Amino acid sequence: MSEKPTIETNTGEDSGAAPDARKLPEPSSHADLEKWRAAADKEVKGRDLTWQTPEGIAVKPLYTAEDVTVEPGLPGFAPFTRGVRASMYAGRPWTIRQYAGFSTAEESNAFYRRNLAAGQKGLSVAFDLATHRGYDSDHPRVTGDVGKAGVAIDTLEDMKILFDGIPLDKMSVSMTMNGAVIPILAFFIVAGEEQGVDRKLLDGTIQNDILKEFMVRNTYIYPPEPSMRIISDIFGYTSREMPKFNSISISGYHMQEAGATQVQELAFTIADGMEYVKYGVASGLDIDKFAGRLSFFFAIGMNFFMEVAKLRAARVLWHRAMTQLGAQDERSKMLRTHCQTSGVSLTEQDPYNNVIRTTIEAMAAMLGGTQSLHTNALDEAIALPTDFSARIARNTQIIIQEETGMTKVVDPLGGSYYIESLTQELVDKAWEIIERVQNEGGMAKAVAAGWPKAMIEEAAAGRQARVDRGDDVIVGVNKYRLANEDHLETLEVNNTKVREAQIARIQKVKAARDEAKCQAALEALRKGAAAPASLENNLLALAVECARARATLGEISSAMEESFDRYGTQPTPVKGVYAAPYAGDSRWQQVIDGVAAVERRLGRKPKLLVAKMGQDGHDRGANVIASAFGDMGFDVVSGPLFQTPEETVVLALDNGVDVVGASSLAAGHKTLIPELIQRLREEGRSDIKVIAGGVIPPQDYEFLRNSGVQGIYGPGSNVVECAADVLRLLGHNMPPAGELEAAE
């Protein structure tokens, strides 16, 4: 039997006294601090223990009372640093939500019912990308997107099936929708009506946050100005008609997922909220009549204490911002938030590590004081969650609530020297960015100018370079990598089958409706969109009539598009950010030399088209690849978002590229990439290499290779190694994959 480890205790002079807990001198004086510094310096042999975070914060190895400069106050009292309710989770735990939706409304409804029976308390609906972008499932641009990354909703009948057997007067429903927010919210309202639920009883949240779409997620439909009008109209309608419903969820989540630092996520999210409030007031609304129904949505990543402090800082910043904007009611100044654990932190490699990551992130959200939480499943780096993985994710929250005792104390980290200092540091740094935004005319103008997006893309490129170099450790990816990976069983949606079923239902709905009544409702919506905003021209009210008349989502979106137009942007990758950490790195230099050799042989630089096909707007991966390959000397063409395979082929031929890199994050790769390759062959250009990267399950690799894909790079791929592999495809003799000379 092994001996137990002993802990030195201070027992006092009386040997018969019971041992006290170990007591160390508290470093409250300058002399004590100097002694501690000398002891620590001796232990680490002069190494600097200060950690420079990506946010530019110098985190010291020791914090004392001298580092706390602001009294955090009490929970439930302004500025709500310690929580929005006095009792917080000691009174009632946060709401357990699971963000889910896939395939058809029937499949998603069955999934929701199983989860609710197993302890989930609220619904969070994920829509497919065709729905997000305002297209019906029969539209030719969405052949690879229907049902793949969320549930397909084309008609009111789909929405009714989605919530069949789920009482909308008793269930809180969160819907992640921004672009097609008008038809989706109209369908939800009428589905409630036809379930017998008055809209005044509908409880939940619609995301309705278009500014962040223009910055990072890109599932917009209309240009910024009419998009902001839509938001104001929703504010007006819900404040009058839906007193229990949150009219917007101002989202920082997608900013962090796109690569933003926590300071950037915090600053731009609060600035977005300020912009929405200004638009609401400008449309004639009383700030205190609608601001209390605004909510927020933050990502929770792996920097544990930073995430805890971020949520506390967000509450301080929102209280300050709303005070400046003239709110009088303290409820208007109270930041309430939903959180979701990070998708970017999940890894394809050694995926069971993702359970641990999600648990740590869930604890950070809880300790930061979230009002509701979604925990990602372990397989979501490569696919939609299975029932098995979703149960683990959900039970992570239940175990924290029921077994740990963590909910018994309000703000248990409040008063921590480190947490209080970090909270104030985040407040100060984020406020500097917010002031810049306000000085330059507000967030809408900043988004139009493009500098917030550029800041986030620079942060993303810098992060990828640190990971590829091993400076930022990801267990199982760039350190402690398994020699052999076991493949997970993942959920796959039959896109063709789902699309056929959706088209059949669209046709059935159109055949059964009163066509004259439907067209009259759509015409009223067209006229309302063309006219100035007013109570009579409220777009949501007009769309509710369209929903009652069985207009489809695509028809409602198209009616507004006739006046508003459809918006598009051209990616502009950042330069030099990825290259900066690689100065003097021999692996990097080998690739640079290889690119130069290919250039000498071709008489020009090797040319890569980075293509985003389908309706997926998540462009972090595509932008990082474009930036990194550009820094390595490739001639990079960044294709516009939302391309069809046919349009991608035209772009490839017009630009004379050697390689097309297809970025896939929304499961459309088995439909779109083979079509791209086939069209290249039909043009007699099978010499153009096609490679694929992004969220692609390993079990799909053989299918893609058999279709003609010559390089596949899943999550966690080292970008420098990817570039070396592309050079091999172009005929240059590079060392085998994984054998580039290591950096000294």
Side-chain angles (χ1 to χ4, degrees), residues 460-538:
R463 162 69 171 167
Q464 186 63 48
R466 293 194 303 274
V467 170
D468 287 347
R469 279 180 50 82
D471 299 333
D472 288 3
V473 172
I474 300 179
V475 173
V477 176
N478 61 5
K479 198 172 184 180
Y480 312 110
R481 183 78 181 258
L482 291 176
N484 296 296
E485 299 275 353
D486 293 329
H487 289 170
L488 284 174
E489 289 296 321
T490 55
L491 179 67
E492 182 171 3
V493 173
N494 186 327
N495 164 244
T496 302
K497 184 178 178 181
V498 173
R499 188 165 185 261
E500 289 172 353
Q502 289 300 120
I503 292 171
R505 184 174 292 146
I506 291 169
Q507 292 170 344
K508 183 178 179 181
V509 167
K510 287 183 175 181
R513 71 190 183 187
D514 182 331
E515 192 64 28
K517 184 178 179 181
C518 180
Q519 292 304 323
L522 288 168
E523 181 59 26
L525 179 59
R526 286 188 194 94
K527 290 179 178 177
S534 68
L535 187 62
E536 296 74 25
N537 292 324
N538 184 284

Side-chain angles (χ1 to χ4, degrees), residues 545-608:
E545 296 304 318
C546 295
R548 289 189 182 121
R550 269 44 186 186
T552 69
L553 175 133
E555 289 173 324
I556 294 171
S557 296
S558 180
M560 292 186 289
E561 187 179 336
E562 288 183 27
S563 294
F564 295 160
D565 294 327
R566 186 169 279 268
Y567 186 71
T569 57
Q570 181 71 34
T572 52
V574 297
K575 297 179 180 179
V577 176
Y578 188 90
Y582 276 97
D585 188 298
S586 55
R587 295 172 298 178
W588 175 266
Q589 192 57 50
Q590 282 180 280
V591 173
I592 297 290
D593 293 343
V595 172
V598 172
E599 181 179 1
R600 287 192 296 272
R601 177 163 54 83
L602 296 177
R604 57 172 175 77
K605 293 183 176 182
K607 185 173 279 193
L608 167 72

Side-chain angles (χ1 to χ4, degrees), residues 123-241:
L123 292 178
S124 290
V125 182
F127 299 96
D128 75 355
L129 289 163
T131 303
H132 273 288
R133 295 270 292 146
Y135 293 117
D136 287 335
S137 295
D138 58 2
H139 197 284
R141 297 195 75 87
V142 299
T143 54
D145 297 298
V146 177
K148 294 294 283 187
V151 60
I153 299 293
D154 296 307
T155 65
L156 174 62
E157 302 312 310
D158 289 330
M159 188 69 81
K160 290 171 67 177
I161 293 167
L162 188 66
F163 296 115
D164 182 42
I166 299 171
L168 293 178
D169 56 343
K170 295 180 175 62
M171 179 59 59
S172 171
V173 176
S174 172
M175 294 180 286
T176 300
M177 177 53 65
N178 302 279
V181 64
I182 288 286
I184 284 295
L185 193 47
F187 287 167
F188 178 70
I189 292 166
V190 180
E193 284 178 6
E194 299 194 5
Q195 208 184 74
V197 178
D198 190 285
R199 56 184 172 271
K200 289 182 170 55
L201 300 178
L202 294 173
D203 186 8
T205 304
I206 189 83
Q207 192 164 98
N208 194 25
D209 176 7
I210 203 65
L211 286 174
K212 72 96 174 44
E213 297 294 330
F214 292 119
M215 266 196 289
V216 290
R217 190 162 174 257
N218 300 311
T219 50
Y220 44 69
I221 301 174
Y222 314 111
E225 199 59 39
S227 296
M228 294 300 288
R229 179 204 165 163
I230 286 171
I231 288 170
S232 296
D233 279 9
I234 290 172
F235 284 174
Y237 184 95
T238 54
S239 65
R240 291 188 300 270
E241 305 288 339

Side-chain angles (χ1 to χ4, degrees), residues 5-49:
T6 59
I7 299 176
E8 183 181 344
T9 59
N10 177 2
T11 60
E13 294 181 1
D14 182 359
S15 59
D20 297 326
R22 182 179 182 184
K23 294 180 179 178
L24 298 175
E26 186 170 337
S28 56
S29 69
H30 180 73
D32 288 336
L33 280 172
E34 287 305 312
K35 290 177 183 176
W36 175 84
R37 288 191 183 100
D41 190 59
K42 184 178 179 181
E43 288 175 4
V44 299
K45 299 179 174 61
R47 250 186 322 117
D48 184 6
L49 294 178

Side-chain angles (χ1 to χ4, degrees), residues 99-115:
Y99 176 55
F102 58 93
S103 184
T104 62
E106 291 91 343
E107 290 281 347
S108 294
N109 174 263
F111 186 80
Y112 295 158
R113 287 191 182 198
R114 292 194 297 271
N115 283 1

